[in-house]
Amino acid sequence: MSQVKISVVTWDASFRESFHTVDFFAEQSFPKEDYEFIWVEYYSDVNPRLREKISGVGNARIIRLRGEGEWHLGKCLNEGIRQSRGEILVIPDGDIVVEPDFLDVVWDVHSRIENLVLYFRRWDEPEGAYKLPITLQHLQEVCQLRHQTNYGGCLTTRRECIEYVRGYEEHPIFAGAGTIIKEVYTRLKNAGFPIMWHPSKRIYHPWHPNSLRGTHKLKRDRQLWVIQCRDLSVDYVASIEQVQEYLDRFVPQVEGPKSSALFTEHKIRGFLRKARRLGRK
């Protein structure tokens, strides 16, 4: 397969309520022959409405992982990246809205700054302003910036940067909802790539019933423990074995009747020093 300039890789696990993201990426001013759109479905079944939309876009396709059990974002994105053909990877959440010149902006910035990791701030539609059909004009009028560092909104970078850190983590602790997007951000940062939040270009997120869905606290604490360990040891390569090594040392602190994993830097560094000593024996 011939190479293209940009690969847009997004994902689902049979829970998306709307597939409007396909429409907005299909309407880009960037030349159609220079980019592709890939939708990765973790399970086997593909929603008929999604299949119909994709079939009407000449540069789009669906990849089915036929996975079982709890869905895993890392596995979806790694397979989509593996099968993609672009120099630049654009990895948006599967329910965002972008302006028609979005890919033009992405290409321009990456053409000027080598090995950049570029994020875009996500502006959210308030529940009280929810309106169908989803239109760019309405979202531009009502959306608000509620989370200044939403790492999952959209990441763009060169293929070799993602390959350098060996992609997204696939350990089971990062299955389902959680902090895997912050985990890959941490490793890209540790690898020394320049990171930038675009100063003006926005992405938009329509409200939907599951907008505030969270993660079980203990599972989230375990994920954050791994991220903290990696950050303090400046690790940057995805490794299921290394994640398990960190998790084997995870012990939540107890604060009154509740369990919490508010680990101090001193405690984590002590664990890392011990792990390195054991590795040298």
Side-chain angles (χ1 to χ4, degrees), residues 181-193:
I181 302 299
K182 186 175 181 180
E183 194 280 333
V184 76
Y185 157 80
T186 299
R187 288 188 289 109
L188 288 164
K189 172 176 64 71
N190 289 351
F193 296 119

Side-chain angles (χ1 to χ4, degrees), residues 28-122:
Q28 292 294 294
S29 55
F30 199 72
K32 293 291 186 292
E33 66 273 14
D34 288 337
Y35 78 99
E36 62 179 351
F37 182 91
I38 299 173
W39 185 288
V40 185
E41 166 58 50
Y42 183 75
Y43 297 110
S44 297
D45 296 334
V46 175
N47 188 295
R49 291 185 292 120
L50 171 63
R51 192 183 296 278
E52 182 179 0
K53 277 184 180 291
I54 293 290
S55 67
V57 181
N59 58 349
R61 67 185 190 276
I62 298 171
I63 297 172
R64 293 186 295 163
L65 294 192
R66 294 182 168 83
E68 297 180 352
E70 189 173 23
W71 56 270
H72 201 300
L73 168 60
K75 293 181 179 180
C76 288
L77 295 181
N78 284 343
E79 184 59 25
I81 291 167
R82 188 186 70 81
Q83 294 194 35
S84 68
R85 301 175 290 133
E87 300 174 45
I88 303 298
L89 298 172
V90 174
I91 305 174
D93 200 359
D95 61 357
I96 67 162
V97 168
V98 294
E99 294 169 329
D101 65 342
F102 182 76
L103 293 184
D104 292 288
V105 170
V106 169
W107 180 256
D108 175 67
V109 174
H110 284 289
S111 297
R112 291 185 285 107
I113 306 176
E114 186 177 1
N115 294 332
L116 179 68
V117 176
L118 178 62
Y119 288 93
F120 294 84
R121 291 180 176 85
R122 193 186 82 175

Side-chain angles (χ1 to χ4, degrees), residues 6-19:
I6 295 176
S7 291
V8 181
V9 181
T10 192
W11 66 284
D12 189 17
S14 297
F15 59 71
R16 301 286 182 197
E17 300 133 338
S18 174
F19 305 104

Side-chain angles (χ1 to χ4, degrees), residues 98-100 123 135-143 202 204:
V98 294
E99 294 169 329
W123 291 61
T135 66
L136 177 60
Q137 180 179 350
H138 172 71
L139 294 175
Q140 289 172 327
E141 293 172 354
V142 305
C143 281
R202 302 176 180 182
Y204 301 95

Side-chain angles (χ1 to χ4, degrees):
M1 300 176 70
S2 60
Q3 190 179 45
V4 293
K5 290 182 177 179
I6 295 176
S7 291
V8 181
V9 181
T10 192
W11 66 284
D12 189 17
S14 297
F15 59 71
R16 301 286 182 197
E17 300 133 338
S18 174
F19 305 104
H20 53 269
T21 299
V22 178
D23 300 323
F24 287 95
F25 275 103
E27 297 167 358
Q28 292 294 294
S29 55
F30 199 72
K32 293 291 186 292
E33 66 273 14
D34 288 337
Y35 78 99
E36 62 179 351
F37 182 91
I38 299 173
W39 185 288
V40 185
E41 166 58 50
Y42 183 75
Y43 297 110
S44 297
D45 296 334
V46 175
N47 188 295
R49 291 185 292 120
L50 171 63
R51 192 183 296 278
E52 182 179 0
K53 277 184 180 291
I54 293 290
S55 67
V57 181
N59 58 349
R61 67 185 190 276
I62 298 171
I63 297 172
R64 293 186 295 163
L65 294 192
R66 294 182 168 83
E68 297 180 352
E70 189 173 23
W71 56 270
H72 201 300
L73 168 60
K75 293 181 179 180
C76 288
L77 295 181
N78 284 343
E79 184 59 25
I81 291 167
R82 188 186 70 81
Q83 294 194 35
S84 68
R85 301 175 290 133
E87 300 174 45
I88 303 298
L89 298 172
V90 174
I91 305 174
D93 200 359
D95 61 357
I96 67 162
V97 168
V98 294
E99 294 169 329
D101 65 342
F102 182 76
L103 293 184
D104 292 288
V105 170
V106 169
W107 180 256
D108 175 67
V109 174
H110 284 289
S111 297
R112 291 185 285 107
I113 306 176
E114 186 177 1
N115 294 332
L116 179 68
V117 176
L118 178 62
Y119 288 93
F120 294 84
R121 291 180 176 85
R122 193 186 82 175
W123 291 61
D124 295 305
E125 179 184 32
E127 181 178 357
Y130 176 60
K131 181 180 178 181
L132 289 177
I134 295 170
T135 66
L136 177 60
Q137 180 179 350
H138 172 71
L139 294 175
Q140 289 172 327
E141 293 172 354
V142 305
C143 281
Q144 303 170 2
L145 182 62
R146 294 181 168 179
H147 192 328
Q148 68 271 30
T149 54
N150 188 310
Y151 300 106
C154 187
L155 159 67
T156 76
T157 191
R158 289 195 172 273
R159 170 182 300 278
E160 50 263 38
C161 298
I162 288 290
E163 291 176 346
Y164 186 79
V165 300
R166 297 186 188 173
Y168 286 76
E169 189 57 72
E170 294 193 7
H171 190 284
I173 191 62
F174 288 105
T179 62
I180 190 171
I181 302 299
K182 186 175 181 180
E183 194 280 333
V184 76
Y185 157 80
T186 299
R187 288 188 289 109
L188 288 164
K189 172 176 64 71
N190 289 351
F193 296 119
I195 293 175
M196 170 183 171
W197 289 84
H198 198 282
S200 59
K201 178 58 68 175
R202 302 176 180 182
I203 59 176
Y204 301 95
H205 179 241
W207 180 87
H208 56 86
N210 292 323
S211 288
L212 300 178
R213 180 175 56 184
T215 310
H216 185 274
K217 185 180 185 304
L218 180 59
K219 182 176 182 180
R220 182 179 177 85
D221 284 348
R222 287 162 62 85
Q223 293 174 354
L224 291 175
W225 163 257
V226 171
I227 293 171
Q228 287 175 309
C229 288
R230 280 196 158 154
D231 210 3
L232 289 172
S233 60
V234 202
D235 293 324
Y236 60 83
V237 175
S239 167
I240 292 175
E241 294 76 19
Q242 186 183 65
V243 171
Q244 190 58 52
E245 179 185 342
Y246 290 148
L247 290 174
D248 288 343
R249 300 278 179 163
F250 174 86
V251 180
Q253 285 185 323
V254 176
E255 296 184 350
K258 296 183 179 180
S259 175
S260 176
L262 300 176
F263 300 100
T264 65
E265 180 176 329
H266 174 76
K267 184 174 182 179
I268 296 175
R269 288 194 183 278
F271 155 63
L272 293 171
R273 285 195 297 269
K274 185 174 181 180
R276 292 189 186 103
R277 287 199 300 270
L278 290 173
R280 288 196 292 267
K281 290 182 179 180

